[in-house]
Amino acid sequence: MKYLLLPIFCMLLLSCSKDDGDVDHTPLQKVSLTVKSIYKDAGGNITLTNEYTYDSQKRMKTHKAINKNPQLNAITTYDYENGKITSIKDYDDPSKPLEKKIYFYNANGMVKEEEYINNVLKYIIEWYHRSDGGKERRIKNPSGHLFETWYYRFTSSGNIQRVVLDYTDNADDDTEYIFSNYDTKKRSEVSYLNAVLPSLLMQIEGTKLSIQNNPQTFAQKSLVTGGYLINSKIEYTYNIKDQVTQMKIFRAHNNDLVYNITLEYQDF
């Protein structure tokens, strides 16, 4: 009888061993994320340093801005829930207000944003998804008065092509933003795109705003006068992972250097 027990015992061991093997112990693939960006002016002087940290799900947790003007130094922290992101920007300068923004999204993408100053609601931003693939972003006060509307047009690959800012008040010049000549590399954390969309929204898949690449030309124009407010070309340097490690921003009309920006990465 004891000879029969031995094979059974071995079978149980093998069975237990197989069950343990069913659990995938493969380490999660590491992701390379931006941990620092440094801005220098044409003279080589540092004007801004950004430092970033991430949570266990590799989402941005904090963004620390160290500015040439100390009054603008601040730390922004991010909190994530299902369909909701909250950012709180706290300045080192105690005279500056606390800024809080809440972003709401669902299966169709962005739905709404709320902006608070010292925890008082100041703006409600509603998103609309057009049948032609474009998007609208309408900014109102809590009583419903419309201040401005942003119109977004995208390329077939999902990159932003043109943005129009339409002010309700005719005293303000309506403006257009044009992005063109995109590369095929990974979008940089530092970008002119951040002028028309919060960078965070381009990082979260659920917002349906995950812009992939980097524009090599950018223009901002007044729709009233037709004059350029900004007209730039951007040169990029990449690492072996196709990430931007350096950006040089030039004035398009005379090739004068405006900014030299370097980015550092870390695997998480």
Side-chain angles (χ1 to χ4, degrees), residues 26-83:
T26 305
L28 292 175
Q29 185 176 3
K30 288 192 173 183
V31 177
S32 183
L33 300 171
T34 312
V35 292
K36 182 180 286 190
S37 60
I38 301 173
Y39 290 65
K40 294 182 180 179
D41 61 22
N45 304 299
I46 295 177
T47 60
L48 174 64
T49 300
N50 294 305
E51 297 176 351
Y52 311 94
T53 66
Y54 301 86
D55 65 15
S56 60
Q57 296 186 49
K58 302 175 177 58
R59 301 171 302 191
M60 189 172 291
K61 182 179 179 181
T62 65
H63 166 206
K64 181 178 182 180
I66 305 168
N67 204 287
K68 181 180 178 181
N69 178 358
Q71 291 183 324
L72 299 179
N73 290 348
I75 295 180
T76 305
T77 57
Y78 302 95
D79 181 67
Y80 302 86
E81 300 176 47
N82 186 28

Side-chain angles (χ1 to χ4, degrees), residues 10-157:
C10 291
M11 290 176 65
L12 288 172
L13 284 176
L14 288 170
S15 176
C16 291
S17 176
K18 184 177 179 181
D19 288 342
D20 289 341
D22 288 341
V23 179
D24 187 2
H25 296 291
T26 305
L28 292 175
Q29 185 176 3
K30 288 192 173 183
V31 177
S32 183
L33 300 171
T34 312
V35 292
K36 182 180 286 190
S37 60
I38 301 173
Y39 290 65
K40 294 182 180 179
D41 61 22
N45 304 299
I46 295 177
T47 60
L48 174 64
T49 300
N50 294 305
E51 297 176 351
Y52 311 94
T53 66
Y54 301 86
D55 65 15
S56 60
Q57 296 186 49
K58 302 175 177 58
R59 301 171 302 191
M60 189 172 291
K61 182 179 179 181
T62 65
H63 166 206
K64 181 178 182 180
I66 305 168
N67 204 287
K68 181 180 178 181
N69 178 358
Q71 291 183 324
L72 299 179
N73 290 348
I75 295 180
T76 305
T77 57
Y78 302 95
D79 181 67
Y80 302 86
E81 300 176 47
N82 186 28
K84 176 181 172 183
I85 309 167
T86 302
S87 75
I88 298 177
K89 187 174 186 177
D90 190 5
Y91 288 92
D92 290 355
D93 184 349
S95 67
K96 289 191 173 296
L98 189 72
E99 298 177 6
K100 181 170 74 171
K101 298 179 181 180
I102 306 177
Y103 307 96
F104 301 89
Y105 60 93
N106 60 21
N108 296 318
M110 287 298 300
V111 177
K112 185 178 72 168
E113 304 170 47
E114 295 176 352
E115 296 190 5
Y116 297 78
I117 300 295
N118 285 335
N119 290 315
V120 176
L121 179 62
K122 292 295 184 182
Y123 300 106
I124 297 172
I125 304 168
E126 299 170 343
W127 282 79
Y128 296 87
H129 306 273
R130 294 164 37 171
S131 58
D132 61 1
K135 300 182 189 299
E136 294 182 20
R137 192 168 170 244
R138 301 175 189 174
I139 302 179
K140 303 177 181 180
N141 66 13
S143 63
H145 174 73
L146 179 66
F147 287 104
E148 58 192 49
T149 302
W150 293 73
Y151 299 91
Y152 299 85
R153 187 173 69 196
F154 300 85
T155 66
S156 58
S157 59

